[in-house]
Amino acid sequence: MSERLRFWLALAGVPLWLAYPFALWFGPLAARQVHCAGREFTGAFDECFNDYLPIAEMAAFPLTLLLLYPFLRFAFALYVPMNRPEGWRWRLAGSSGGADCFPSLQLLTGVAMLWAILHVAALPLAGSTAPFWIYWMAWLVWLALGLRASWPLADGREP
């Protein structure tokens, strides 16, 4: 992978990260609409009719902004080349890159991939949930590319 491609892939994580609160808020609503389509309220509360207030989901908006810098550090460390060129481009990666942090950064990436898979598993296959399927698949692709870019090879070459 070229350095320029790595840099742009690291930056591509930013819109994915900033879109997370919207996916967290609207994804389950779309899944609920698919699951509860055509049902009418019978007077009893169930999974389709309840008095649930999304308090925790509201915290996702400020938390996403608060955790933007640590996410940027993660994204740039994941994609930084082993032989880091000097300059401003990779300063967010810190002093060590993905290959230097083996296996902790790769394990964290694997956990993030499981997190995305769990979100996808909660979505039904329907037209109204297609944007969320695309969003979570984009996360999986981004994380898999980062895992590949940060995996150290035995002979010390770049992946």
Side-chain angles (χ1 to χ4, degrees):
M1 233 184 259
S2 71
E3 182 211 350
R4 176 173 279 150
L5 178 61
R6 286 173 178 259
F7 178 76
W8 287 108
L9 283 171
L11 278 181
V14 175
L16 288 172
W17 179 258
L18 292 176
Y20 176 71
F22 299 101
L24 181 69
W25 186 274
F26 294 112
L29 289 176
R32 184 180 169 275
Q33 286 176 347
V34 170
H35 177 68
C36 301
R39 292 198 49 199
E40 293 183 21
F41 185 61
T42 60
F45 289 108
D46 61 7
E47 69 275 358
C48 291
F49 303 100
N50 59 35
D51 57 353
Y52 170 74
L53 294 174
I55 302 298
E57 285 84 349
M58 284 189 236
F61 288 97
L63 279 176
T64 300
L65 294 177
L66 284 173
L67 296 175
L68 180 62
Y69 180 73
F71 173 76
L72 284 171
R73 298 281 297 204
F74 167 74
F76 277 79
L78 193 61
Y79 281 99
V80 69
M82 285 176 65
N83 302 320
R84 177 193 314 220
E86 294 297 323
W88 62 273
R89 260 191 172 169
W90 297 105
R91 71 174 178 264
L92 285 171
S95 60
S96 58
D100 297 336
C101 298
F102 184 79
S104 59
L105 191 65
Q106 289 75 12
L107 287 173
L108 182 61
T109 304
V111 168
M113 290 175 85
L114 288 174
W115 162 75
I117 289 169
L118 288 174
H119 279 286
V120 167
L123 293 172
L125 281 173
S128 62
T129 60
F132 304 105
W133 274 86
I134 293 168
Y135 173 75
W136 291 112
M137 290 300 154
W139 261 115
L140 285 171
V141 168
W142 186 82
L143 289 164
L145 287 172
L147 190 62
R148 176 68 180 116
S150 67
W151 200 270
L153 296 177
D155 58 3
R157 290 180 299 120
E158 293 279 335

